[in-house]
Amino acid sequence: MRLDDIRESDYVEDRRGQGGLGGGGVGIPIGRGGGLGFGTMIVLGLISYALGIDPRILIGGAEVVSNMGGSRQTQQSQPAGPPPNDETGKFLRRIMALNEDVWTKILPDQGGVQFKPPTLVIFSRATRSGCGGAQAAMGPFYCPVDQKLYLDTSFFDEMKRQLGGGGQFAYAYVVGHEVGHHIQNQLGLLPKVQNAQRSMSQAQGNALQVRVELQADCYAGVWAHHADQAYRVIQPGDVDQAINTAAAIGDDKLQQQSQGYVVPESFTHGSSEQRKQWFMQGLKNGTLAACDTFKRSAS
């Protein structure tokens, strides 16, 4: 990615080295991992598929809807940290700035809603969020209660080592996916999904969640489309990075690796092909309308 001329966002908190959950920590919403490293949790997540348990630890979002209820009255976020100034922190501040600049323009134009920037919280091992405890084992996720994105930056290293993904544009895709959940929240979609899932079976709820995740993938593509139009940030090979990452975290690939067969009814994020398809849909079209995974077939 070409980011030399991109400003740095003020909506990034650095909580690395702040001591984790501390005495005020609460139960982990999904994917309890204790003190385990994320590499270990990926392995445990794959094994959990074989047992029929949804790990929901990769490229968060499945936890987005399920944590909207109940936690609102009991959770408190950890105090804000200073803006990061190391290489990784500066990169993330630029990616967030690109998201802010793009969505500030296109969300009112295409969605009729004024964009309110989310905050990206980067941490190490554990911290607190408005949705409960956040740990590295959960992977990146968006909390609609405090409208913040949570990311242990070691996730990028694990992407490269465990999933075969990596590179700046792949990391930008991860952030763009989580900002996509924030866009869904601002458009009022996430509360509707939560209400609908209450009366559904597990399989039906999973199928609806897949559409939420694929739309967030598509919104990440919409962001990349407009960021490149405005700033020419995409370089040769960048799109391949994002596609390879989307393929690596498809539910079907993870299940095939862990148990040797695929159970579509247990998908919560979509297949490798679906994730690639919807990211490219957003990248090519650049419109929210092109990302309506709820009306169009998600296959």
Side-chain angles (χ1 to χ4, degrees):
M1 293 188 74
R2 191 183 65 80
L3 299 172
D4 294 342
D5 299 328
I6 304 302
R7 69 177 180 89
E8 295 177 8
S9 171
D10 293 326
Y11 291 91
V12 179
E13 297 177 15
D14 191 354
R15 298 187 191 171
R16 292 171 295 181
Q18 286 194 6
L21 294 171
V26 295
I28 304 303
I30 291 180
R32 291 176 173 84
L36 297 176
F38 188 58
T40 303
M41 287 306 299
I42 288 178
V43 176
L44 294 178
L46 295 175
I47 294 173
S48 72
Y49 268 124
L51 301 177
I53 302 171
D54 173 15
R56 299 185 182 185
I57 63 171
L58 297 174
I59 302 200
E63 70 274 14
V64 167
V65 175
S66 60
N67 283 311
M68 291 183 67
S71 62
R72 189 177 303 272
Q73 297 179 344
T74 60
Q75 311 306 339
Q76 293 183 344
S77 294
Q78 197 158 303
N85 289 307
D86 62 309
E87 183 178 350
T88 298
K90 287 178 176 292
F91 165 74
L92 290 171
R93 290 179 69 181
R94 290 188 175 109
I95 295 303
M96 287 299 290
L98 276 173
N99 273 276
E100 293 160 14
D101 292 347
V102 166
W103 289 112
T104 294
K105 182 179 186 303
I106 69 172
L107 189 60
D109 290 348
Q110 298 186 17
V113 176
Q114 293 299 313
F115 177 69
K116 178 182 178 181
T119 296
L120 171 63
V121 176
I122 58 176
F123 66 95
S124 55
R125 298 187 63 183
T127 190
R128 291 197 300 272
S129 79
C131 295
Q135 291 195 1
M138 297 167 63
F141 71 94
Y142 170 72
C143 173
V145 177
D146 58 18
Q147 298 186 40
K148 293 183 178 183
L149 289 58
Y150 290 84
L151 168 68
D152 184 319
T153 53
S154 67
F155 178 77
F156 294 150
D157 296 329
E158 298 301 335
M159 280 177 62
K160 188 177 297 184
R161 287 198 299 265
Q162 300 286 344
L163 302 175
Q168 285 190 334
F169 195 67
Y171 306 149
Y173 156 68
V174 171
V175 175
H177 174 97
E178 299 308 331
V179 175
H181 285 309
H182 179 66
I183 300 303
Q184 291 172 320
N185 194 35
Q186 286 208 265
L187 292 171
L189 173 69
L190 295 187
K192 292 179 181 179
V193 169
Q194 182 198 24
N195 290 334
Q197 286 179 319
R198 289 194 181 108
S199 60
M200 290 180 173
S201 66
Q202 183 67 46
Q204 291 172 328
N206 287 345
L208 187 59
Q209 187 64 42
V210 166
R211 293 178 183 270
V212 171
E213 299 302 325
L214 294 179
Q215 186 176 67
D217 283 333
C218 190
Y219 284 174
V222 170
W223 162 74
H225 172 98
H226 289 277
D228 191 54
Q229 276 197 342
Y231 302 102
R232 301 299 182 207
V233 295
I234 298 179
Q235 296 179 311
D238 283 348
V239 174
D240 288 339
Q241 290 179 6
I243 290 176
N244 291 340
T245 299
I249 56 178
D251 288 325
D252 55 336
K253 183 169 184 177
L254 293 175
Q255 289 187 1
Q256 188 67 43
Q257 289 174 340
S258 67
Q259 62 192 27
Y261 60 92
V262 174
V263 183
E265 292 80 6
S266 66
F267 287 3
T268 58
H269 283 71
S271 68
S272 295
E273 190 59 36
Q274 287 175 320
R275 301 201 72 164
K276 291 189 295 183
Q277 170 195 335
W278 282 102
F279 172 77
M280 291 304 300
Q281 174 81 358
L283 182 63
K284 290 178 180 178
N285 291 277
T287 65
L288 295 177
C291 296
D292 193 346
T293 57
F294 297 88
K295 290 184 179 179
R296 300 179 57 179
S297 172
S299 61

